[in-house]
Amino acid sequence: MEELHSLTVSDERLEDCRDVIEPDLQDLIRMTIASGFTAEEVLIAISELVAEDYAVTAKLPSVH
């Protein structure tokens, strides 16, 4: 069985990172909805992409 590793992230750095990401993320969501997708479709697609990238970064097995 593959060993799982946890990531340690500073709360302060995480908050700073969210502040940087949020405006672009909101723009992406709005533009994708304007292209004809529902908010639910957009959020699910984004969450799946994030889960895949997180699995690679954390070296975790992917469920997708």
Side-chain angles (χ1 to χ4, degrees), residues 8-53:
T8 303
V9 180
S10 156
D11 288 340
E12 197 171 284
R13 284 187 55 83
L14 184 57
E15 185 176 335
D16 291 344
C17 187
R18 285 179 178 175
D19 290 344
V20 171
I21 291 171
E22 187 174 11
D24 290 334
L25 178 60
Q26 293 303 318
D27 288 343
L28 173 64
I29 292 168
R30 278 192 290 277
M31 289 186 324
T32 309
I33 290 171
S35 295
F37 295 95
T38 66
E40 291 82 6
E41 290 169 325
V42 174
L43 294 173
I44 290 169
I46 290 171
S47 69
E48 288 179 348
L49 291 168
V50 169
E52 290 171 7
D53 282 354

